[in-house]
Amino acid sequence: MDEPYTAVCQRAVTALERPRRVVVGVAGSIAAYKAPFVVRLLRQAGHEVKVVATESALRFIGAPALAAVSGRTVSTGVFDDPAAVEHVAVAEWAELVVVAPASADLLARVRAGRADDMLTATILTCQAPIVLAPAMHTQMWVNPATRENVAVLRERGLTVIEPDSGRLTGKDSGVGRMPDPELIVSQALAALTQPAAGGAAAQDASGEGDKRLEGRHLVISAGGTREPIDPVRYLGNRSSGRQGCALAAAAVEQGARVTLVQAHVACDLLNALPAQVTVVAAGTASDMLRAVRESARNADAVIMAAAVADYRPVTVAASKLKKQVPAGSDHLSEPVMSIELTTNPDILAGLVSDPPRPGQIVVGFAAETGDENGDVLFHGRAKARRKRAHLLAVNAVGEELGFGDVPNAVVVLDAHGTEVARGQGSKMEVARLLISLTADLVNAA
Ligand code: C5P
């Protein structure tokens, strides 16, 4: 787990030295029109593909198109050729199943163990890795029923790729879009070489010592929120979510169950997480406030590693804002354009002043740069006293520091701004230090 996650995924992809037999499942979502691209990419890479589509998928995309790109007939119903017991034959043939798109209904049926059509019957029978690429409207994706279905499927070892955010089928935008076919294919092929859920990735990395967070639940936020300006633009930041994902993995090493509330963390990082991590998507500061407080109701500790936007636009335009070019402009002048902002709630400070569960431990991060008033630590101490979290990990950020796939260095302060520890190294090493300090406090509480 010490290696950068991207390196692990890269190795997984390049380790595929021979063509594979892949079932591409297609469920009933408008994104079904993108399924042929998934099939084509797999075939271009030399893999054999068999398409299994649901009845509703065939209302969005024709069987002839899927048959033409895959080079095989498309299967749909279990009674199309009962004598062939096709769902068993296809499930045994498959070395990998990738469902793109996976509708909310398909996720629910797979979670329930239904086998009422060829696709669900194949999935229920199949022993190969199963990768699901969801596509649905935001409200369906964030519905507790779907959240629970996804968490259970991940616990069982299926890979559920995080959907993208952006323009949906109707007029609105949000999380729920099917990711790009290239990304689906690389995630699916990576699943062939990743250890099964509950396997090596979920084990204690050291294999030694007691697990200090056994039976504990930690909520960890990761990534950076994006505050929409209009359907295409947002205010965002450079947080990658690597530190939050490393914290989740380090907490699992110590036996904890983790809820990771993530904002715009790359799929390869999320898919490399151990199975004990339940991922909840929260794109904006307001979404994150709701998701963190809800998940924290039964948590022993909350670690806010996400970069939460301090401000958001007062209004979000329903359609794309047009560039204002004054009449008679020579296109060389630079008219000023301003966006009115309002302050987002401070989630960390709220967890301290009004904890969702009494006595829970709260840990924050302070990404700082020095300025003419003081250095990084000066600003960190002031923040520790202001936010009053049990622990605040202060780190310097800048062009080459803190963000992305780079080492990290932190000074950990208590609520009075007093230094309790310092450490540097990979994000995983920093994560282990913080999880160890958090475990001290959880076990003393
Ligand atoms: O004030 P600043 O953004 O530097 O504080 C950083 C810490 O506060 C981080 O732990 C971050 O997750 C948290 N935070 C928050 N809600 C905000 C802004 C920051 O929880 N609106």
Side-chain angles (χ1 to χ4, degrees), residues 112-191:
R114 301 285 300 262
D116 46 359
D117 61 11
M118 182 65 187
L119 181 54
T120 48
T122 303
I123 290 173
L124 195 62
T125 314
C126 192
Q127 300 286 306
I130 309 221
V131 177
L132 306 165
M136 64 198 74
H137 192 270
T138 308
Q139 262 88 38
M140 297 169 89
W141 176 248
V142 299
N143 188 296
T146 306
R147 308 300 329 136
E148 199 185 301
N149 291 338
V150 169
V152 170
L153 291 168
R154 284 182 173 147
E155 253 165 48
R156 289 182 192 155
L158 283 76
T159 300
V160 183
I161 300 177
E162 283 293 304
D164 265 356
S165 243
R167 185 71 191 260
L168 301 168
T169 315
K171 284 191 177 145
D172 46 357
S173 304
V175 70
R177 279 166 61 93
M178 189 169 96
D180 285 340
E182 288 81 2
L183 192 129
I184 293 172
V185 168
S186 79
Q187 298 288 311
L189 295 176

Side-chain angles (χ1 to χ4, degrees), residues 304-306 308-310 344-348 364-366 368 383 387:
M304 287 295 301
V308 184
D310 289 322
N344 274 329
D346 189 318
I347 305 169
L348 183 70
F365 272 78
E368 297 291 344
K383 194 161 285 179
K387 300 222 181 195

Side-chain angles (χ1 to χ4, degrees), residues 3 23 28 41-42 70 76 85 91 108 111 177 186 213 239 244 252 262 265 271 279 336-337 368 384 395 398 435:
E3 289 174 81
V23 166
L41 285 169
L42 284 164
S70 64
T76 302
V85 200
R111 184 252 165 108
R177 279 166 61 93
S186 79
L213 290 171
S239 177
V252 168
Q262 66 87 13
V265 176
N271 287 328
V279 179
V336 171
M337 136 73 157
E368 297 291 344
N395 62 328
I435 290 297

Side-chain angles (χ1 to χ4, degrees), residues 244-335:
C245 289
L247 283 160
V252 168
E253 279 180 7
Q254 292 303 325
R257 179 170 69 83
V258 175
T259 303
L260 186 83
V261 180
Q262 66 87 13
H264 309 286
V265 176
C267 289
D268 58 349
L269 295 179
L270 297 174
N271 287 328
L273 289 168
Q276 293 87 335
V277 181
T278 301
V279 179
V280 176
T284 64
S286 310
D287 293 344
M288 186 164 278
L289 173 70
R290 267 192 302 278
V292 165
R293 291 199 69 91
E294 172 65 29
S295 316
R297 287 206 308 223
N298 63 4
D300 298 286
V302 185
I303 305 181
M304 287 295 301
V308 184
D310 289 322
Y311 301 97
R312 67 177 185 278
V314 170
T315 52
V316 180
S319 51
K320 186 181 170 192
L321 294 174
K322 300 289 175 293
K323 185 173 170 181
Q324 301 297 322
V325 181
S329 162
D330 55 5
H331 293 275
L332 294 175
S333 55
E334 297 174 352

Side-chain angles (χ1 to χ4, degrees), residues 218-238:
L218 265 63
V219 173
I220 298 173
S221 70
T225 67
R226 293 180 184 173
E227 310 300 321
I229 296 169
D230 67 17
V232 262
R233 297 151 177 135
Y234 57 82
L235 293 176
N237 60 69
R238 295 175 49 209

